[in-house]
Amino acid sequence: MKKIGLNPVGLDFSSKSIELAKEKNNDIEFFCDDMLNDLTYLGKFDAVIAIASIIHIEEDKLDLCFKRIYDILNDNGYLFMVLRKEEGKLKTSYQTVNNIEYDREVYGYSKELLEEKMNNKFKFIKEDRAHDEHWVY
């Protein structure tokens, strides 16, 4: 992203994931924090790209999640999400990636539920299917 003139900032709740990201992207600033926390200390952004992160947020915390994202977006900013196509609690994921063990709940949400939880902070522009039948952009 920096190569095309953008100034990305990374966020993850896992310090191990941050370490791996820094190894591959040493020119990007990363923060270890929970996306449900107040993130206004990060500043304002034109876009937030949430790839496979909102799928780990429980339904009763989605409204807070969207508020936190909204709070760090500039006026007319964008939220790009990659979500699971299926709905409901899909699984508890226990997997190892690069020798790091992860155990996370995975959820899928309908477009209607997401719009409700967004509380009119965002509007859907477009929905695309991924190359994989399980993911939606």
Side-chain angles (χ1 to χ4, degrees), residues 10 12 16 24 40 43 45 52 55 59 66 71 73 83-84 86-88 101 108 115 118 122 125 130:
D12 200 298
K16 290 181 181 179
K24 295 180 179 184
T40 55
F45 300 91
I55 64 169
E59 181 179 335
F66 289 124
D71 289 345
L73 279 173
L83 304 164
R84 292 296 297 220
E86 305 90 348
E87 295 179 29
E101 292 187 15
E115 287 179 313
M118 289 176 180
F122 302 95
I125 296 173

Side-chain angles (χ1 to χ4, degrees), residues 13-59:
F13 76 97
S14 166
S15 60
K16 290 181 181 179
S17 292
I18 294 290
E19 286 175 30
L20 288 172
K22 284 181 178 180
E23 287 175 15
K24 295 180 179 184
N25 305 281
N26 61 4
D27 60 339
I28 295 175
E29 189 171 14
F30 290 93
F31 295 89
C32 188
D33 206 337
D34 187 324
M35 65 189 301
L36 297 176
N37 291 337
D38 180 354
L39 301 173
T40 55
Y41 69 91
L42 296 173
K44 293 279 192 172
F45 300 91
D46 293 324
V48 169
I49 301 171
I51 299 175
S53 55
I54 294 175
I55 64 169
H56 300 294
I57 304 296
E58 296 174 27
E59 181 179 335

